[in-house]
Amino acid sequence: MKKLSFNPRPLLLHGVFALLAGSGAFLPALQPAAQAVTEFKLNDPVLAARIDGAPVQAFSVEAMWQLARLKDSQASRTEALESIVANRLLAASARKTYGEAALHANQRVAFAREVTLDEQLLSTLRAVYGKELDLAVQRQPGGKLDALITAQSEPDGAALDAVFGKSDALRLEHVLNPAQLERAKKVTLLRYQLQQGAAGSISLYDVYQRQNVQGRVALFTRQPGFALQQARQHLASFFVQQWVRQRFGEAALADLRQVLSEQQEVVALQQMHGIGADTDSASPVVDQLAKQVKPAQIAAYYRKHREEFERIEKIKARHIRLPDEAAAQSVAKALASGGDFAALAKRHSSAADAASGGDLGWIRHEAKLDWLAQMAFAQPEGQVSKPIRMPAGPHDKASWEIVLVEKRVNGYQAPDSESVRYVASQAIARDAAVEQLSALRVRLLREARIDINRSLLDKPASLLENKS
């Protein structure tokens, strides 16, 4: 029995998911490498591996490798297998720990998860087997999938009214109730006949279930031909999946779908740990860890990252207030031609400080700044602003302002301020969450029992090291 050393890169998600995952670069290098107890006894050409006895199809490894090669010609089957193994272990752990509902609670995709997963499956298959699928379509009578349709019809107005209600009705949301869903199941849009006797039909219910908000609005508002168009797209999906079943088998198709599903779950797991999401996104793990950060940790973070808390402490500024846009543009043009700001303020400004050349003096960064001060703080030092219209009520005459910041003095937020506490605790918690997820991955790989089909490995020992 030998040990297989997995490089930290397996958590990198190949293909379209790499961007969603924010890249595995968030995960620190693991030392020592996570080592799964691994055998190389598997010689079934259909299988790439067994993880704790459960099979991983060679078809999935091949598909994910080919998909990765579309973006990186140096991608290897070994890396694809590593990714699948690591994701399978992490996804199973995440489902057990958090539950599927929690994993997908923050998904921003408007489609149902199963629909999104179907689309990702089809996208993967088309990307990898596009040419062969095109040939399969061309072999159909007429070279089109229309030959598979045995009957089709656009539902009439009465049928649509029975399902969706009157098209001119005012609605707060476009959702069918249980009774409407049952009626939608009875409205058949098309019938089809696939190869080897696989026949079926696609109903209005099937189409409705696969729509996002915009699609459901199209159904409710009776956009001509939309329902039938969506039914034909659904048929194309059936054709692709049937082609895979016939060539590679049902188990291969199901395993690839599982691989893609596990990628989704790992992305969700990473986002729960603050990885791959923007810093303002909710992260339950990070939020919980942030509550445990001690004042001493915040103080240490502040000392080490003081530059992150730099801010404008005060500015010295002048301004010119003009009665309308035409006057403001005229003065702006004079300033652009080298006119003296203070002199032009004395001559043209309608503000009370015109006599002093529009001198606003020193403005300190305080909790509440008026509109003009906020505008001044937003301007770079030594650069005359463009004319900006002051806020005014609908019946009030608005003035225009031109601002010059003559001097800016920077300082730092107080180490005991609430903003420092929040930023530091979040940063510390995110680092801790990354380490927590990395440690989980190490533990799962060490506890796993993996049997590898050696014939699929195409990477030298730089990534895979056999240990006695």
Side-chain angles (χ1 to χ4, degrees):
M1 185 172 293
K2 297 182 177 180
K3 289 186 177 180
L4 185 62
S5 175
F6 281 86
N7 183 276
R9 290 184 59 189
L11 201 53
L12 277 166
L13 303 184
H14 295 292
V16 294
F17 293 92
L19 295 178
L20 291 176
S23 169
F26 286 95
L27 296 176
L30 302 179
Q31 295 295 335
Q35 294 178 343
V37 176
T38 304
E39 295 180 329
F40 294 92
K41 297 179 179 179
L42 187 62
N43 57 13
D44 186 339
V46 173
L47 300 183
R50 287 188 179 276
I51 306 172
D52 296 325
V56 175
Q57 298 285 317
F59 170 75
S60 295
V61 176
E62 184 72 14
M64 299 311 293
W65 171 60
Q66 294 287 0
L67 187 64
R69 289 184 69 219
L70 296 176
K71 291 184 176 292
D72 178 7
S73 61
Q74 302 302 311
S76 70
R77 286 188 182 88
T78 300
E79 291 168 326
L81 175 57
E82 289 176 347
S83 227
I84 290 171
V85 169
N87 285 348
R88 186 149 296 183
L89 292 169
L90 279 167
S93 175
R95 289 193 300 271
K96 182 178 180 180
T97 302
Y98 300 103
E100 292 192 22
L103 279 175
H104 305 290
N106 292 326
Q107 282 194 339
R108 298 180 181 179
V109 181
F111 294 94
R113 178 172 180 261
E114 289 303 309
V115 175
T116 303
L117 187 56
D118 280 347
E119 290 301 315
Q120 289 168 346
L121 175 62
L122 291 174
S123 175
T124 299
L125 293 171
R126 286 169 179 154
V128 176
Y129 298 103
K131 292 182 179 179
E132 295 171 78
L133 286 167
D134 287 343
L135 289 174
V137 171
Q138 293 170 16
R139 285 194 289 269
Q140 303 302 312
K144 297 181 179 179
L145 293 183
D146 290 352
L148 303 176
I149 300 174
T150 58
Q152 63 177 336
S153 63
E154 186 76 28
D156 59 28
L160 292 174
D161 285 347
V163 174
F164 300 111
K166 297 296 184 181
S167 60
D168 57 353
L170 182 64
R171 295 179 176 85
L172 296 178
E173 58 181 359
H174 296 79
V175 178
L176 296 181
N177 61 39
Q180 290 173 306
L181 290 173
E182 288 302 315
R183 288 193 285 272
K185 292 178 182 179
K186 298 176 182 178
V187 180
T188 300
L189 298 173
L190 64 79
R191 300 182 185 279
Y192 61 87
Q193 179 81 41
L194 297 177
Q195 296 178 3
Q196 296 183 351
S201 63
I202 298 173
S203 69
L204 190 56
Y205 171 86
D206 298 322
V207 168
Y208 169 83
Q209 292 291 79
R210 302 186 69 79
Q211 302 305 309
N212 62 0
V213 174
Q214 290 80 7
R216 292 184 178 185
V217 169
L219 291 173
F220 271 85
T221 56
R222 318 292 202 271
Q223 287 190 15
F226 180 78
L228 197 54
Q229 174 200 37
Q230 293 297 303
R232 293 165 69 90
Q233 289 184 10
H234 201 16
L235 175 60
S237 169
F238 288 157
F239 175 82
V240 172
Q241 294 185 56
Q242 179 71 0
W243 180 85
V244 173
R245 289 188 187 95
Q246 290 179 347
R247 180 167 175 183
F248 301 103
E250 179 68 42
L253 181 65
D255 190 67
L256 179 58
R257 183 183 175 87
Q258 181 180 349
V259 165
L260 296 173
S261 177
E262 288 162 348
Q263 284 191 331
Q264 283 187 0
E265 290 167 339
V266 170
V267 168
L269 180 64
Q270 288 181 310
Q271 290 177 343
M272 290 177 73
H273 286 74
I275 302 169
D278 59 66
T279 54
D280 293 328
S281 296
S283 169
V285 175
V286 171
D287 290 343
Q288 183 60 37
L289 291 171
K291 295 176 182 177
Q292 302 169 18
V293 175
K294 306 298 183 185
Q297 293 175 278
I298 294 173
Y301 184 92
Y302 181 85
R303 289 193 298 271
K304 188 174 181 180
H305 303 276
R306 193 164 179 250
E307 71 283 354
E308 295 180 13
F309 303 102
E310 186 176 4
R311 68 169 186 171
I312 305 169
E313 195 167 271
K314 61 181 181 178
I315 58 173
K316 191 175 189 303
R318 294 180 183 272
H319 77 126
I320 304 174
R321 182 171 297 164
L322 290 311
D324 53 49
E325 185 177 8
Q329 294 295 347
S330 176
V331 172
K333 185 176 181 180
L335 289 166
S337 299
D340 181 76
F341 196 98
L344 287 168
K346 291 178 181 179
R347 188 180 312 153
H348 297 286
S349 180
S350 61
D353 51 28
S356 64
D359 188 7
L360 292 171
W362 285 99
I363 306 172
R364 292 190 171 276
H365 195 294
E366 298 173 343
K368 292 183 179 180
L369 297 173
D370 62 25
W371 179 85
L372 182 59
Q374 291 181 45
M375 175 184 168
F377 267 93
Q379 303 303 317
E381 182 179 319
Q383 183 176 321
V384 176
S385 76
K386 295 179 179 180
I388 300 176
R389 185 179 185 272
M390 292 181 66
H395 304 296
D396 298 330
K397 182 175 176 59
S399 299
W400 290 72
E401 292 280 356
I402 301 175
V403 171
L404 170 64
V405 174
E406 296 178 320
K407 185 71 175 177
R408 171 184 286 175
V409 176
N410 287 346
Y412 298 90
Q413 294 177 1
D416 59 349
S417 66
E418 174 59 23
S419 57
V420 168
R421 185 205 65 77
Y422 177 80
V423 171
S425 62
Q426 285 287 311
I428 294 167
R430 284 179 181 274
D431 287 345
V434 169
E435 293 178 4
Q436 182 174 298
L437 186 56
S438 297
L440 172 64
R441 181 181 166 280
V442 170
R443 179 175 63 78
L444 292 173
L445 284 170
R446 283 178 175 165
E447 293 175 355
R449 194 170 203 74
I450 303 172
D451 193 359
I452 297 289
N453 186 337
R454 191 189 294 274
S455 65
L456 264 70
L457 303 184
D458 59 358
K459 200 75 172 177
S462 59
L463 282 182
L464 293 172
E465 299 176 7
N466 290 332
K467 307 265 187 181
S468 300

